[in-house]
Amino acid sequence: MADHSEKRIVDLSHVIEHGMTTYKGLSPPHICDFWTREGSAANYDDGSSFQIGRIDMVANTGTYLDSPFHRYPDGVDLAGMPLSALAELPAVVVRLPDGGRAVDAGAFDGLEADGCAVLLHTGWDRHWGSERYGRDAPYLSASGARWLVTHGARLVGIDSVNLDDMGDRSRPAHSMLLRAEIPVV
């Protein structure tokens, strides 16, 4: 039985930058000022000034969360997900050796996943911000996704560009996990 007594918040996100490389085919983020301090000062009698930023980007930029609605029109969307589905979950990190791309069910031998966030650490995040990040990346196989569903995982994350093999247009990992209402990071 795994000991989940230690509680801490772990930030898994990457910094989003103007023009950064994103998922192939998606436009990069555009980050700019909506109001500059200099331009806003003319709007106030006492010379007060404010900066208001503007960010235009697709939702699947950087580190992001897929709710069941991402795949299924009848699934819950992000606004409808209870915070308990995303926060204060016991977590297990599955550290995978460099090399193979597919994370199959065998990677979870001996893992206690019931009620846990299962985070797949492949080391692929070392390519973050480069074109390499989106090519030949590690992914969760159909057998791995099936194992996580049947063993009660509550959230699944990977440090790769996509949970599924980007060459497999059927998206089995997303389909199985999101149908089981397991959010994907």
Side-chain angles (χ1 to χ4, degrees), residues 3-12 86-95 117 119 121:
D3 177 17
H4 301 293
S5 60
E6 178 188 351
K7 288 192 177 201
R8 61 188 174 129
I9 295 173
V10 179
D11 182 357
L12 300 175
L86 308 171
E88 293 196 3
L89 294 174
V92 291
V93 177
V94 179
R95 297 190 189 284
L119 306 175
H121 182 272

Side-chain angles (χ1 to χ4, degrees), residues 96-165:
L96 300 156
D98 281 340
R101 292 183 57 221
V103 179
D104 293 316
F108 307 121
D109 287 343
L111 183 72
E112 178 69 38
D114 189 38
C116 293
V118 178
L119 306 175
L120 307 178
H121 182 272
T122 69
W124 200 252
D125 60 319
R126 70 183 174 273
H127 299 296
W128 172 255
S130 73
E131 292 293 327
R132 179 78 176 111
Y133 188 68
R135 288 193 327 266
D136 301 321
Y139 62 92
L140 180 64
S141 72
S143 73
R146 193 173 305 106
W147 191 98
L148 291 167
V149 169
T150 60
H151 286 83
R154 297 242 335 258
L155 179 143
V156 176
I158 192 168
D159 61 351
S160 180
V161 66
N162 196 301
L163 188 69
D164 278 293
D165 178 359

